[in-house]
Amino acid sequence: MNLEQLSNRNIGQQTYKMVDLKPTPSTGVKKFTQVVERTFKGELFVGLYVTFREMINALFKGEMHTFKYPLEKMPISPRYRAIHDMLRLLESGHYRCIGCGLCEKICISNCIKMETRYDENQRKEVSEYTINFGRCIFCGYCAEVCPELAIVHGGRYENASEQRASFSLFEDMLTPIDALKQQKEFDGFGAISPNADENIKKTPLAY
Amino acid sequence: MEKFVYIALFAPLVSSLFAGLFGMTPKKMFVGVIASLLLASSFVASAILAYHVNLTGSGIHVTLMDWIGAGDLKIPFGFIVDQVSVSMMVVVTLVSTVVHIYSIGYMDHDKSFNRFFSYLSAFVFSMLVLVMSDNFAGLFIGWEGVGVCSWLLIGFWYHKPDVSPEINPSISPSWAANEAFIVNRIADLGMLIGIFILYWNVGSLQYDVVFAELPNLANGVLVAAAIALFIGAMGKSAQFPLHTWLTDAMEGPTPVSALIHAATMVTAGVFLVIRAHPLFMMTPEVSYFIASLGTFVAIFAASMALVNRDLKRIIAYSTLSQLGYMFAAAGLGAYWIALFHLAAHAFFKALLFLGAGNVMHAMHDELDIFKMGGLKKAMRWTYIYMGVASLALAGIPPLAGFFSKDAIIETAFNEGTFILWAILVVTAGMTAFYSFRQVFLTFEGDERYKEFGIHPHEMYKFVLIALAPLGILAVIAGFFQKTFQGFVTDLLPNYEMSEHTHHLAMILGAVVLVFAVGGIALAWIKYGKGLKRNEKVENGFFYKLLKNQYYIPQFYAEFISKPYAMISEIFWKSVDMKIVDATVDAIAKTIHTTGDSTRKMQTGNLSNYLNWMGVGVVILLIAAAITPMLG
Amino acid sequence: MEAAVLPEVTSIGVAIKAIIILAVIAAIAGFGTYIERKVLAFMQRRLGPTHVGPYGLLQLVADGIKLFTKEDIIPQHANRLIFMIAPVIMAATAFIALSAVPVFPDFTIPEWIPLLGGVFVPSIAADINVGLLFVLGMMATGLYGPLLAGMAQSNKWGIIGSARTAIQFLSYEVVTGLSVLAPIMLVGSLSLADFNAHQAGGIASWLVWQQPVAFVLFLIAGFAETNRTPFDLLEHESEIISGYVTEYSGLRWGLFFIGEYANMVTISILASVIFIGGYNDWGFLPAWLVMIMKVAFFFFFMLWARASWPHVRPDQLMWVCWKVLMPIAVINVLITGLVMMV
Amino acid sequence: MYEQIAFYLFSVLTVGLFLVTVLSSNILYAMTSLAAGMVLISGLFFLLGADFLGVVQLIVYVGAVMALYAFAMMFFDASKEIKEKNTSSSLVFLLGGLMAVLLVLMFAAPILGENIQASYPPEVGATNPQAVGLVLFTKYLIPFEVAAVMLLVAMIAGIVLAGKKMDESLTTMDDEEVTLQKDKK
Amino acid sequence: MIGLNHYLILSGLLFSIGLVGVLRRKNLLMLFFATEVMLNAANIAFAAASHFYGDLTGQMFAFFIVAVAASEVAVGLGLLIVLYKKQGTLDLDDLATMKG
């Protein structure tokens, strides 16, 4: 991109039309002729036509822009970074988190807190896991570093609640056990790239 | 047809008001164009009226509204369009239309362009009121109206400074304007007296009523009225001894000279005599005096024109001379011939003046014909126009002037006034001489202007084209003599040459023609090859006498103006200061002392005043309440 | 013409009429807000209010409840009395103006209703013979609402708003008056009933065909007088917050609203009666339906214009009024007069 | 009946409002009460059958004249209380009261002049505006025209007096011109 | 029944009120208000006389009074504004510059 393109980058290349603005009239007669011209050119009626057309389109052609939001929702991009989800293993139903602490480590706003301990099988289990959503900036680093794809960014953006804690605990983020069937391998932010298999064979570092 | 009467009359007024709207603004071309168009419409309306009058043979008489009604005096705002007034209307509107168009070119560089058109159109309106009015009051209004417009237009370049009479005989435009105005006022007094006499004895100012009543009036009254009216005519037509203003009026812009001081206004006197012909026909002695004076002025003016060096003044003198011819004809009872000469003269004299204007324009306002010469190369068309006009003026057949002037001279012969005839014939020769002296000095011979560093150029095309109607009419107007006679004599008394004169007509014409051609030939011999100045002649008594206008202006200044100023001073010092002013001062003093003693009420505080006012209101109310109780 | 056949107008009838006008127009004003929001929404391809009641129809009830229960705030340095009166003036003048306008068709109350049975209710509450001028005069008086409101609230936006009120209403009154002058000359009467009778001959007899210029001028001036959008400078949010209503809340603010909508209805009715045929029958359509359609169209047009056109600057507003509209109106009157004379 | 009620209602209200106008020290009250009083006077005109005059009163007086006053008040800081030093209020009320008493006495007396002839009776069958128009444009044409000229003169005078330089606009000027303007000041 | 006298008395009262205002007011704008009161009082008298004598002349005079008031306000307010710009006050007692 050269400099000219850079400075014009906000101007769409083809679709914008420059309005033919004539110089501001200086004398009374010129002003009057401008008024007459604008009156009889029908520009006013073009405005009326445009709004009326939009109304017809909206009412009878189903081109209404409104989403009745709480009732219907817009599809959001899979790359959208909303409230985190904690995924479970599909086979066992156990949560995927292995308590490695990478997410806590990388979190740049220090909002993830986790405590782990060894269970009876000497496996690490997460005893406490909270994300302070007052501080979280939804940067997505936690999902990126998670080696187990346990923490991902989900699509829940309606984070209004009576208290902040209601979705910041591990259990709240964790997929409910009875909804395990619906849990899909998340293909959004932090998911394994499609060619992960090839990459892992090439060099572990690339993965 | 009434519609056309109003169009003809009011189009110039509209034009004047319209131009007046832009009077204070810089030059606007459309003002001139619109004024010319309006004038042209006035001319067209006049022409239609003329056709109509010719067709029906009767005039149109319209009354716009009642104008003055005081006691017995009832003057309606009425207009009459009959054969006489319609021929004047056609002449006036035609010439003024041409002059308007001409002025667009001539006044091109003048910063008061718009104002000029306003005045010019106002003049035409006044002239039309004068011509078309059906009573003496309206005539007088028009008469004064043209006087005012003439004053405005002569003094159009009022900002020019005063100079001594040696440098410019008319000192300055504003001086010339004032002179014209004052001289005319003197004459107008005579005219007003004439109108008063008529009203006193007849009780009306309507032409038809007055003229119907004339036979019942005493002869003395008629003579007095005729003399008084003629004094008015003398002033407006610049007849001796009130002639000095006309040459000085040449200080105005040339279109003005052409329109007002050649073609229209100055002929108002002739028009008055023609209009009041029933009166003058009943007073043959006055008529004869008119004819004699006219003849005298004809030769008197022509003699002064012989030696003058000023291009426009020569033409002005020639105008005077031709007016003399008209008065001669009118005085001899040949009213239609006077009117015919008036019309024909208007065409070629306007053309002559406008041509002179072209020369002036080319020569950068230089008027001395001794400094011109050989202009024909640069100004071919102007030369042709002025040549044609001069030929017409000199009375060379078949141009207009021949028919009209020859008729006048023939009339003088026919009436048996052979002295007048002889003078008129000689004058015809002088006319031819001075007009061609001027033409040759201007256009032929060596190019003397070169030493003054002037580069003459021809006038704009459209101006030259606009002059064409006048040129054509100057050539062909004479052929309509019979038609015109038939048209006008429906109203005016017919005048036919006697059998005897008729037989001699060829010879008489030939005599005049010989004089005219002789004059031209003399001019060619003396000036055709260039200017040869003769010191001896120029220092001679006659030359000096003529050059100084017979010392009349000096005479006026010494024996009229100066004594008048002295008397005025005496009255100012003794009567005005000692009696009138003293009385006024005494009154003022009384009031002052009264005010001085009551000024304490004036506290300067408005609410105090308001309180006083309230007290006054209450007192008035009490008075109002008590009055009915007292009965 | 028909007046002779009609039953006598009694004071009870007029009173009933007045109550009907008050009730219905106040309701229409509320309903008007709903319509306005809906239409504007549709024109921007939105839905507008939908949730309260079917299609959001009860939104106006919700709004009303909100306005009525809101706290009535009066600023500390405001002129209390004037501040309180101003909205009442606005609403009252709007309704008084309606009294001289034919609002609904006349009818007779059926006999079986007790007390009022058989009473004739006229179409115009007060059919005075200067009806049209009276309406204009009352709308002129209506300018005191915004004017006093702005001046009383000791708020600079308010003062600017009321200054704009003064100049805008004063100026456009001239245009309104001059624009209806030409139709008045044609009809030869100031009574709106005569206007109606004059255009009884179907579409061809509508005055708009003879007076298109006057019609356009009247509409433009009407927009200005009701301060609708191209000319809503008195409460131009982006410049002067809310102008004269800056400090108002609750019911008093609602009164301004009702006044404005009542004025809109008045202008719509005037435009319908003066220019496009009034409440005459139209083929098989009965008079009242025709009238409602016409008024509805003008009402819709006002909303439509609001959706389509931007504001103008105050100086442009005045410029247009004095240097464009008023000369055109005068010329229109002159031409009308000349044509009538010839 | 109605007429009486209306007359007394209007009269009392008008007198009261005008008293407020005259006596109040708050200019906003004075203006409002004056305007309201004028509306009521137009009501009196309607009562008197002078419909057109009533409407003119509404449009011109209330709509234009008083609105102009209100507009002018914005120049003069209307919110302040007006401080007036009333030096001789007893004299004022004495004069005013005396005048009122006199006028009432005079008008309460039976009006003489039963033989007054109506020189311009309203045309039979014409509505008030029509009758007014007929008289205004025949007998009173010249005063009407004079009034028109007077209004024109007043309008021009008002513009000249209150107007300021409006033909210069900083928005349409170049930057240099703007600085020039500033330098001039 | 309401007669001419009623209206005339009303008019007289209003006129007196206006007079009191004119005499009492020191603020020029308020003074103008008081003059308007007086003009209106005169208008009522004219209209009433016109009505009760069946003659339109009274109404004509009322119209001309309205016209006079309109021109008065145009010129008067212009003057007031000029005055205020110059003097910074509208008080009548401060306007004693004409005192000689």
Side-chain angles (χ1 to χ4, degrees):
Chain A
M1 190 187 280
N2 60 22
L3 187 65
E4 198 188 9
Q5 282 171 328
L6 182 75
S7 52
N8 288 336
R9 67 193 183 281
N10 285 332
I11 301 171
Q13 280 111 356
Q14 299 87 18
T15 50
Y16 283 100
K17 237 201 259 175
M18 284 300 287
V19 179
D20 182 23
L21 274 183
K22 285 166 192 155
T24 316
S26 49
T27 61
V29 179
K30 279 184 194 157
K31 274 188 197 169
F32 186 77
T33 42
Q34 189 191 42
V35 166
V36 172
E37 262 174 27
R38 287 182 177 175
T39 308
F40 289 105
K41 239 180 176 178
E43 282 168 354
L44 288 171
F45 299 99
V46 172
L48 285 178
Y49 161 72
V50 167
T51 44
F52 197 75
R53 183 191 65 199
E54 292 307 308
M55 186 170 87
I56 298 297
N57 284 348
L59 284 178
F60 303 115
K61 298 192 182 162
E63 290 182 18
M64 194 71 83
H65 279 311
T66 311
F67 281 84
K68 295 175 184 166
Y69 161 62
L71 309 179
E72 51 180 67
K73 290 178 185 169
M74 285 170 84
I76 58 168
S77 155
R79 303 184 66 85
Y80 191 79
R81 303 198 288 258
I83 298 288
H84 307 69
D85 274 338
M86 290 293 178
L87 302 186
R88 287 174 189 271
L89 290 168
L90 290 173
E91 297 84 356
S92 66
H94 196 268
Y95 57 80
R96 290 186 184 177
C97 181
I98 53 169
C100 65
L102 275 175
C103 51
E104 188 183 15
K105 202 78 183 167
I106 202 163
C107 181
I108 51 171
S109 52
N110 277 336
C111 60
I112 299 180
K113 283 275 171 295
M114 71 190 294
E115 279 174 27
T116 51
R117 63 173 180 200
Y118 293 99
D119 67 351
E120 59 271 23
N121 300 328
Q122 288 299 304
R123 282 171 63 96
K124 247 185 184 172
E125 72 166 10
V126 182
S127 62
E128 215 170 302
Y129 189 103
T130 57
I131 300 178
N132 184 350
F133 283 109
R135 297 180 61 157
C136 179
I137 57 165
F138 301 97
C139 60
Y141 281 179
C142 48
E144 204 162 339
V145 296
C146 185
E148 293 293 317
L149 292 181
I151 181 166
V152 294
H153 277 295
R156 276 196 295 146
Y157 49 83
E158 294 150 311
N159 28 4
S161 168
E162 279 156 20
Q163 42 187 295
R164 201 181 291 154
S166 47
F167 40 75
S168 64
L169 297 176
F170 187 66
E171 289 75 25
D172 299 321
M173 291 181 276
L174 197 60
T175 313
I177 191 73
D178 50 336
L180 187 60
K181 289 271 167 55
Q182 277 96 42
Q183 179 182 312
K184 278 182 233 152
E185 203 50 52
F186 186 64
D187 57 351
F189 191 81
I192 305 169
S193 52
N195 48 358
D197 278 345
E198 299 149 34
N199 287 341
I200 204 166
K201 276 168 197 161
K202 262 187 231 158
T203 157
L205 286 177
Y207 169 64
Chain B
M1 276 299 132
E2 268 190 34
K3 197 163 54 186
F4 291 110
V5 177
Y6 292 133
I7 291 175
L9 181 60
F10 288 112
L13 179 65
V14 172
S15 159
S16 168
L17 294 178
F18 177 78
L21 276 182
F22 300 95
M24 309 296 280
T25 53
K27 181 196 164 183
K28 293 204 168 38
M29 180 52 91
F30 68 85
V31 171
V33 174
I34 287 177
S36 306
L37 285 177
L38 282 166
L39 264 292
S41 68
S42 177
F43 166 65
V44 170
S46 304
I48 292 170
L49 284 172
Y51 179 73
H52 177 78
V53 170
N54 191 21
L55 214 60
T56 58
S58 62
I60 301 165
H61 195 157
V62 296
T63 305
L64 196 56
M65 56 182 173
D66 283 337
W67 178 31
I68 298 175
D72 290 339
L73 180 62
K74 284 205 173 48
I75 301 175
F77 219 53
F79 298 101
I80 189 160
V81 179
D82 56 18
Q83 283 84 348
V84 173
S85 59
V86 86
S87 40
M88 278 299 279
M89 280 162 66
V90 170
V91 171
V92 169
T93 49
L94 172 62
V95 175
S96 54
T97 307
V98 172
V99 166
H100 268 74
I101 299 170
Y102 178 86
S103 301
I104 297 177
Y106 187 80
M107 301 299 284
D108 198 22
H109 302 298
D110 199 286
K111 63 181 190 309
S112 302
F113 185 82
N114 304 338
R115 186 164 63 94
F116 183 74
F117 277 94
S118 179
Y119 292 169
L120 210 56
S121 298
F123 165 77
V124 179
F125 172 67
S126 311
M127 189 69 201
L128 287 175
V129 170
L130 191 163
V131 169
M132 291 165 71
S133 174
D134 70 343
N135 56 58
F136 281 106
L139 177 108
F140 189 71
I141 293 294
W143 196 268
E144 295 301 312
V146 292
V148 169
C149 294
S150 163
W151 177 76
L152 287 170
L153 285 165
I154 296 170
F156 188 74
W157 288 317
Y158 56 86
H159 44 75
K160 283 193 185 168
D162 282 359
V163 293
S164 71
E166 282 74 41
I167 301 170
N168 182 359
S170 47
I171 298 179
S172 75
S174 48
W175 193 90
N178 287 339
E179 185 196 6
F181 201 68
I182 292 165
V183 171
N184 270 303
R185 286 301 70 68
I186 296 168
D188 289 347
L189 183 66
M191 164 131 176
L192 210 51
I193 289 171
I195 293 175
F196 286 159
I197 291 172
L198 285 175
Y199 178 70
W200 196 255
N201 288 291
V202 180
S204 172
L205 287 175
Q206 300 295 110
Y207 291 144
D208 39 7
V209 181
V210 173
F211 296 149
E213 196 68 15
L214 286 181
N216 308 332
L217 298 182
N219 195 36
V221 171
L222 290 179
V223 170
I227 290 174
L229 283 182
F230 182 62
I231 289 174
M234 275 163 69
K236 193 72 36 189
S237 293
Q239 294 300 292
F240 181 84
L242 301 176
H243 65 278
T244 50
W245 68 269
L246 184 64
T247 42
D248 288 344
M250 294 304 119
E251 284 301 314
T254 310
V256 174
S257 309
L259 177 60
I260 301 183
H261 306 118
T264 56
M265 186 186 81
V266 291
T267 59
V270 184
F271 172 75
L272 176 66
V273 173
I274 295 170
R275 185 41 102 190
H277 65 87
L279 176 65
F280 287 100
M281 279 166 78
M282 294 171 76
T283 51
E285 54 279 60
V286 178
S287 289
Y288 187 70
F289 171 70
I290 293 174
S292 311
L293 185 74
T295 313
F296 169 66
V297 170
I299 190 164
F300 171 74
S303 68
M304 288 191 284
L306 289 177
V307 298
N308 208 300
R309 287 168 55 173
D310 187 312
L311 183 62
K312 277 175 77 180
R313 278 165 187 270
I314 294 171
I315 308 178
Y317 281 126
S318 117
T319 305
L320 269 180
S321 170
Q322 298 303 312
L323 285 170
Y325 272 104
M326 289 175 215
F327 274 115
L332 291 173
Y335 296 106
W336 75 263
I337 295 173
L339 193 60
F340 183 60
H341 189 52
L342 190 162
H345 170 253
F347 299 137
F348 58 70
K349 188 51 67 67
L351 184 61
L352 208 50
F353 257 119
L354 296 177
N358 284 356
V359 173
M360 258 179 90
H361 200 258
M363 297 291 294
H364 301 289
D365 293 346
E366 180 56 61
L367 278 171
D368 192 343
I369 49 175
F370 282 12
K371 295 181 181 170
M372 298 178 191
L375 280 173
K376 68 177 171 187
K377 279 182 211 146
M379 311 180 70
R380 202 160 55 85
W381 277 102
T382 306
Y383 182 39
I384 292 173
Y385 280 137
M386 281 190 78
V388 168
S390 297
L391 282 175
L393 177 61
I396 303 299
L399 281 77
F402 171 74
F403 291 93
S404 57
K405 202 154 71 173
D406 195 51
I408 294 174
I409 295 170
E410 228 173 278
T411 310
F413 186 83
N414 188 40
E415 286 291 313
T417 48
F418 296 112
I419 299 171
L420 299 189
W421 175 77
I423 295 173
L424 289 177
V425 168
V426 172
T427 308
M430 285 157 80
T431 306
F433 175 74
Y434 67 67
S435 41
F436 276 90
R437 168 178 177 266
Q438 166 205 336
V439 169
F440 292 149
L441 278 176
T442 309
F443 290 101
E444 294 283 350
D446 49 342
E447 294 167 343
R448 295 183 294 278
Y449 57 82
K450 281 194 173 157
E451 55 192 275
F452 303 100
I454 295 168
H455 303 286
H457 54 88
E458 185 58 294
M459 200 64 174
Y460 304 112
K461 267 274 165 49
F462 74 93
V463 171
L464 294 173
I465 293 169
L467 291 180
L470 290 182
I472 294 166
L473 279 170
V475 176
I476 63 165
F479 303 127
F480 299 106
Q481 193 184 15
K482 285 291 163 209
T483 328
F484 188 78
Q485 181 184 5
F487 175 54
V488 179
T489 46
D490 281 350
L491 189 75
L492 294 175
N494 200 355
Y495 185 89
E496 284 288 353
M497 304 301 160
S498 63
E499 276 297 304
H500 179 63
T501 319
H502 212 70
H503 286 307
L504 292 173
M506 290 294 284
I507 300 164
L508 290 173
V511 170
V512 176
L513 198 59
V514 164
F515 268 89
V517 173
I520 296 172
L522 192 62
W524 177 252
I525 291 162
K526 273 185 79 75
Y527 300 109
K529 296 293 172 220
L531 177 67
K532 289 184 286 288
R533 299 183 72 156
N534 187 339
E535 290 293 325
K536 213 177 113 201
V537 173
E538 281 185 30
N539 289 327
F541 171 71
F542 276 109
Y543 195 92
K544 274 197 161 171
L545 185 70
L546 294 177
K547 198 156 169 39
N548 286 306
Q549 308 177 26
Y550 297 96
Y551 294 99
I552 288 173
Q554 284 90 335
F555 175 82
Y556 284 171
E558 284 299 323
F559 293 98
I560 297 181
S561 301
K562 277 196 183 158
Y564 186 75
M566 276 158 64
I567 294 171
S568 302
E569 183 143 337
I570 291 165
F571 272 96
W572 169 44
K573 291 231 165 108
S574 61
V575 179
D576 197 53
M577 301 271 277
K578 297 238 168 82
I579 300 172
V580 181
D581 281 11
T583 319
V584 174
D585 284 352
I587 295 169
K589 221 167 250 170
T590 321
I591 292 170
H592 183 256
T593 37
T594 323
D596 219 25
S597 51
T598 51
R599 67 180 278 203
K600 287 172 198 86
M601 278 167 71
Q602 305 267 333
T603 54
N605 185 326
L606 279 173
S607 40
N608 264 350
Y609 295 166
L610 283 175
N611 285 350
W612 279 113
M613 191 189 84
V615 171
V617 170
V618 171
I619 291 171
L620 282 178
L621 259 184
I622 292 172
I626 291 173
T627 322
M629 289 182 210
L630 298 177
Chain C
M1 294 171 226
E2 307 156 85
V5 195
L6 288 177
E8 195 194 350
V9 178
T10 57
S11 31
I12 302 174
V14 172
I16 293 172
K17 182 73 188 181
I19 293 166
I20 291 176
I21 290 177
L22 276 174
V24 174
I25 300 291
I28 283 180
F31 192 61
T33 61
Y34 169 75
I35 298 277
E36 172 152 20
R37 289 161 72 169
K38 269 292 191 193
V39 169
L40 283 184
F42 290 153
M43 291 198 163
Q44 295 156 356
R45 284 207 251 158
R46 294 184 288 110
L47 275 175
T50 48
H51 286 279
V52 193
Y55 301 103
L57 266 172
L58 293 179
Q59 184 72 37
L60 66 114
V61 179
D63 285 347
I65 292 169
K66 185 193 80 178
L67 285 179
F68 277 75
T69 53
K70 235 180 163 178
E71 185 192 354
D72 183 23
I73 302 168
I74 297 175
Q76 196 174 9
H77 292 292
N79 190 328
R80 287 185 66 88
L81 182 64
I82 307 277
F83 186 84
M84 282 156 69
I85 285 176
V88 183
I89 295 177
M90 176 86 174
T93 50
F95 283 112
I96 295 174
L98 275 169
S99 71
V101 169
V103 183
F104 307 104
D106 45 24
F107 61 92
T108 309
I109 295 176
E111 293 289 345
W112 48 266
I113 294 178
L115 288 174
L116 300 174
V119 172
F120 172 70
V121 180
S123 69
I124 303 179
D127 186 12
I128 47 179
N129 54 24
V130 286
L132 186 48
L133 279 183
F134 179 79
V135 176
L136 294 181
M138 235 35 231
M139 291 184 73
T141 315
L143 91 99
Y144 281 94
L147 189 70
L148 293 176
M151 293 175 73
Q153 62 188 224
S154 70
N155 176 320
K156 62 181 169 185
W157 310 121
I159 285 281
I160 297 174
S162 53
R164 288 186 176 187
T165 313
I167 54 168
Q168 177 172 328
F169 276 38
L170 273 181
S171 313
Y172 276 88
E173 237 168 63
V174 176
V175 179
T176 322
L178 284 175
S179 66
V180 292
L181 196 53
I184 289 172
M185 282 157 67
L186 286 179
V187 175
S189 166
L190 291 166
S191 168
L192 289 168
D194 289 345
F195 271 92
N196 188 48
H198 187 260
Q199 304 176 74
I203 296 183
S205 71
W206 287 4
L207 276 176
V208 66
W209 309 129
Q210 291 177 47
Q211 291 290 344
V213 180
F215 176 65
V216 172
L217 289 175
F218 182 80
L219 271 192
I220 293 173
F223 272 79
E225 293 242 0
T226 51
N227 57 61
R228 295 297 301 175
T229 280
F231 307 127
D232 65 340
L233 301 171
L234 331 185
E235 39 185 346
H236 197 329
E237 288 89 352
S238 54
E239 290 175 4
I240 50 170
I241 316 296
S242 262
Y244 61 93
V245 284
T246 306
E247 299 282 5
Y248 280 93
S249 68
L251 188 54
R252 296 189 195 284
W253 184 83
L255 280 176
F256 277 119
F257 226 88
I258 289 175
E260 181 176 334
Y261 277 84
N263 274 338
M264 280 167 72
V265 172
T266 316
I267 287 287
S268 304
I269 292 174
L270 279 186
S272 318
V273 174
I274 297 175
F275 289 104
I276 60 167
Y279 46 92
N280 290 307
D281 287 344
W282 197 13
F284 59 90
L285 292 172
W288 59 272
L289 190 60
V290 171
M291 189 64 188
I292 285 178
M293 279 165 55
K294 286 171 184 169
V295 173
F297 169 73
F298 282 111
F299 202 88
F300 172 74
F301 182 73
M302 287 178 169
L303 309 181
W304 190 6
R306 175 170 175 183
S308 308
W309 294 334
H311 306 281
V312 296
R313 285 201 317 260
D315 62 322
Q316 290 171 332
L317 180 84
M318 302 308 294
W319 187 86
V320 163
C321 175
W322 289 108
K323 293 195 180 170
V324 180
L325 298 182
M326 202 195 68
I328 292 177
V330 172
I331 291 168
N332 186 40
V333 168
L334 271 180
I335 291 175
T336 309
L338 284 178
V339 170
M340 281 174 71
M341 248 170 60
V342 172
Chain D
M1 229 286 275
Y2 286 128
E3 195 198 346
Q4 264 167 323
I5 294 174
F7 173 75
Y8 284 115
L9 185 71
F10 287 164
S11 315
V12 171
L13 279 175
T14 316
V15 169
L17 284 167
F18 281 178
L19 276 175
V20 172
T21 305
V22 165
L23 299 176
S24 164
S25 62
N26 185 319
I27 196 162
L28 204 53
Y29 283 147
M31 202 268 298
T32 315
S33 60
L34 183 58
M38 282 173 178
V39 173
L40 292 173
I41 284 179
S42 84
L44 283 173
F45 289 157
F46 283 114
L47 273 186
L48 284 169
D51 292 353
F52 193 67
L53 184 58
V55 173
V56 166
Q57 170 94 0
L58 271 185
I59 293 180
V60 178
Y61 244 124
V62 183
V65 172
M66 289 312 297
L68 273 179
Y69 275 126
F71 193 57
M73 276 164 60
M74 292 171 204
F75 285 92
F76 309 132
D77 194 7
S79 55
K80 266 194 299 191
E81 291 275 303
I82 304 283
K83 284 192 214 73
E84 292 172 311
K85 25 186 197 306
N86 291 316
T87 43
S88 57
S89 61
S90 56
L91 172 73
V92 166
F93 286 109
L94 180 75
L95 280 176
L98 199 60
M99 176 141 173
V101 170
L102 277 171
L103 283 174
V104 168
L105 279 179
M106 281 167 73
F107 292 141
I111 295 282
L112 301 173
E114 299 299 327
N115 52 353
I116 291 178
Q117 298 272 314
S119 42
Y120 298 102
E123 199 124 310
V124 180
T127 55
N128 177 264
Q130 285 169 333
V132 166
L134 282 174
V135 176
L136 193 60
F137 288 103
T138 51
K139 174 69 184 174
Y140 290 97
L141 182 61
I142 303 269
F144 180 78
E145 299 284 351
V146 172
V149 172
M150 179 184 70
L151 280 172
L152 179 68
V153 170
M155 188 173 83
I156 293 169
I159 292 169
V160 170
L161 282 172
K164 49 182 181 181
K165 261 187 230 159
M166 309 268 267
D167 48 349
E168 288 170 354
S169 163
L170 291 178
T171 48
T172 56
M173 281 183 197
D174 295 335
D175 291 345
E176 294 155 31
E177 285 175 308
V178 173
T179 43
L180 269 179
Q181 283 281 316
K182 276 183 194 159
D183 292 345
K184 249 191 246 170
K185 285 163 194 162
Chain E
M1 198 54 211
I2 304 296
L4 177 55
N5 289 359
H6 290 77
Y7 281 100
L8 288 181
I9 289 172
L10 173 66
S11 153
L13 284 177
L14 292 180
F15 192 82
S16 308
I17 291 173
L19 186 76
V20 169
V22 167
L23 296 183
R24 189 174 166 276
R25 286 298 186 195
K26 302 283 170 159
N27 182 297
L28 273 174
L29 201 60
M30 303 287 246
L31 196 73
F32 269 38
F33 287 173
T35 57
E36 298 293 342
V37 170
M38 290 165 86
L39 287 175
N40 270 289
N43 265 359
I44 293 179
F46 275 128
S50 157
H51 175 70
F52 286 101
Y53 284 118
D55 188 335
L56 284 171
T57 309
Q59 285 192 33
M60 296 302 121
F61 275 91
F63 282 124
F64 293 129
I65 288 180
V66 173
V68 166
S71 30
E72 174 219 313
V73 72
V75 180
L77 283 179
L79 286 172
L80 278 195
I81 288 168
V82 173
L83 187 73
Y84 190 74
K85 274 183 198 158
K86 232 182 162 136
Q87 308 253 353
T89 175
L90 286 179
D91 200 78
L92 205 53
D93 290 338
D94 294 346
L95 298 180
T97 50
M98 295 227 310
K99 184 172 181 175

